[in-house]
Amino acid sequence: MATDELVKTTTGIAHHGAGRLPSVDVDSFNIEMKDEDGFLGDRASKGAFRKILDRWRKPLRKTGEDPFGKEPSESISKKTLDAILVSDDVEASAVVHSAIEDFAQELAYVTRRFLKTKAWARTERIVVGGGFRDSRLGELAIARTEIILKAEDFKIDLVPIRHHPDEAGLIGTLHLAPSWIFEAHDSILAVDIGGTNIRCGLVETGWKKAKDLSKAKVVKSELWRHADDEPTREGAVKRLTKMLKALIAEAESEGFKLAPFIGIACPGVISEDGSIEKGAQNLPGNWESSKFNLPASLIEGIPVIGEHDTAILMHNDGVVQGLSEVPFMQDVDRWGVLTIGTGLGNARFTNRHKDGGNGKDSSENGKDTSKKKARENSRNDKE
């Protein structure tokens, strides 16, 4: 099947991985930068924080005074670390605060490099998401990073993502869909695919309360930790299809007006036809194969929702998580997202503004040049 035919079959409304979305232009995403030590994102990941924590524990281990005992740093939960920050154990608290400070310095270094690229020029605000943000220590690291950057005269706001990171990746898919979908429907299906988990959700749009989707919420969700089961690629698609069908049945039984639309957040560089160019190495099986197309596979399993043909749009997971912030970024023009997880996801956006209320976009006369621009910026900024 030709690319254009495949796109039309799986979406009917837009391209996958589009550079121009209803509310924003995606200036760049999934930039991979390097320095002498390797990929820059590895310096500001969840794993990087654990290594820093372990480094601060090392001198205390030698004297038998490690407040964490023999427990490996990677096994200490965020909840435990958060509790230590406010505990009476001064030494343990000092270790965690020291790790936060060092991590903030690393995150500031990485952020500084992003801000100096062409794609991220004139960025006014950065939202920080990912699993690391969902903790007090993550919030402190984000706040400390902002202070470091402002002390160096970077005019930038650094803020934690508003929604829980697990829900942001689902809510963000609403901003992939054209607004007319919300006129007759009050909910959509959303999928957030990660290297460890696949999460599906029923997202209520809140359209009648707020046309900017600021009242959207996840009303049902299901999580599958595929890393534990180690399924084949086909097995993963089959399980995902089953999860979505269960949510469709629940939506119908509870009276939701479900749109015939599925939004998907997926790691990697997403092509217009829904294939994955690169970056999906942690998913079960080979998702980068030219013979595999997730949207097309799901359409086979779920050809209709209600009385209408199913439409699917897929984009990079960092982009989608960032899109959950669209309603709250209207006081700036250019903003970005960094997601701290196994790696460091990244995307930069420019808000789209209507020209004089005539419905025409004010930039480039409404032409969709953003996808090309995003790819050029990504290539130019690789080092």
Side-chain angles (χ1 to χ4, degrees), residues 203-223:
V203 182
E204 190 173 18
T205 66
W207 177 257
K208 290 183 178 180
K209 296 179 181 177
K211 294 292 191 289
D212 63 357
L213 301 173
S214 60
K215 300 296 184 182
K217 62 181 179 180
V218 178
V219 291
K220 298 275 184 182
S221 67
E222 186 177 347
L223 176 69

Side-chain angles (χ1 to χ4, degrees), residues 68-360:
F68 297 98
K70 295 183 179 181
E71 188 171 6
S73 294
E74 60 269 21
S75 300
I76 305 172
S77 70
K78 289 181 293 186
K79 187 176 180 180
T80 297
L81 294 173
D82 282 353
I84 285 171
L85 286 172
V86 293
S87 73
D88 294 330
D89 190 335
V90 177
E91 193 164 62
S93 181
V95 169
V96 178
H97 275 288
S98 298
I100 289 171
E101 174 63 24
D102 279 5
F103 183 82
Q105 294 288 347
E106 292 294 319
L107 182 56
Y109 170 77
V110 172
T111 304
R112 200 181 299 123
R113 291 287 298 274
F114 272 105
L115 292 173
K116 289 180 178 179
T117 64
K118 179 181 178 182
W120 282 64
R122 298 187 296 163
T123 300
E124 299 161 79
R125 186 175 299 151
I126 298 174
V127 177
V128 183
F132 186 73
R133 173 263 177 271
D134 183 33
S135 60
R136 183 61 177 167
L137 65 95
E139 291 176 345
L140 287 172
I142 294 166
R144 179 66 185 120
T145 302
E146 181 185 45
I147 292 170
I148 293 168
L149 291 170
K150 286 188 172 179
E152 298 172 354
D153 291 330
F154 281 91
K155 294 178 174 60
I156 189 78
D157 294 324
L158 219 67
V159 297
I161 202 162
R162 187 175 304 254
H163 296 285
H164 189 286
D166 290 343
E167 297 192 343
L170 299 176
I171 291 172
T173 64
L174 287 168
H175 297 274
L176 298 176
S179 59
W180 57 260
I181 278 182
F182 309 129
E183 294 287 351
H185 306 93
D186 61 12
S187 54
I188 69 162
L189 294 175
V191 180
D192 189 5
I193 298 170
T196 303
N197 303 316
I198 292 178
R199 188 181 304 273
C200 296
L202 174 65
V203 182
E204 190 173 18
T205 66
W207 177 257
K208 290 183 178 180
K209 296 179 181 177
K211 294 292 191 289
D212 63 357
L213 301 173
S214 60
K215 300 296 184 182
K217 62 181 179 180
V218 178
V219 291
K220 298 275 184 182
S221 67
E222 186 177 347
L223 176 69
W224 172 39
R225 189 177 169 84
H226 64 77
D228 293 341
D229 296 342
E230 299 182 353
T232 62
R233 185 183 67 197
E234 288 68 26
V237 173
K238 187 176 180 180
R239 177 68 179 268
L240 174 55
T241 302
K242 184 179 179 180
M243 292 166 70
L244 288 169
K245 285 182 174 179
L247 284 173
I248 292 171
E250 284 194 61
E252 290 176 352
S253 67
E254 298 195 15
F256 283 98
K257 296 178 181 177
L258 185 62
F261 175 84
I262 303 173
I264 302 176
C266 185
V269 178
I270 312 302
S271 298
E272 290 184 354
D273 66 351
S275 60
I276 304 172
E277 291 183 20
K278 62 175 181 176
Q281 63 273 8
N282 293 323
L283 302 182
N286 181 11
W287 289 47
E288 298 173 21
S289 168
S290 60
K291 298 178 181 179
F292 177 67
N293 187 288
L294 178 61
S297 297
L298 290 178
I299 287 289
E300 287 183 14
I302 309 173
V304 296
I305 296 177
E307 299 177 355
H308 302 281
D309 293 340
T310 303
I312 296 177
L313 279 176
M314 185 164 77
H315 216 306
N316 172 265
D317 54 348
V319 169
V320 174
Q321 194 168 142
L323 290 176
S324 68
E325 287 288 313
V326 166
F328 316 108
M329 294 292 127
Q330 297 308 301
D331 58 327
V332 294
D333 289 323
R334 293 164 292 274
W335 55 283
V337 62
L338 297 174
T339 57
I340 303 173
T342 306
L344 185 71
N346 61 85
R348 217 299 285 264
F349 307 99
T350 297
N351 287 332
R352 293 179 58 194
H353 299 289
K354 303 301 179 181
D355 185 14
N358 61 6
K360 294 181 180 179

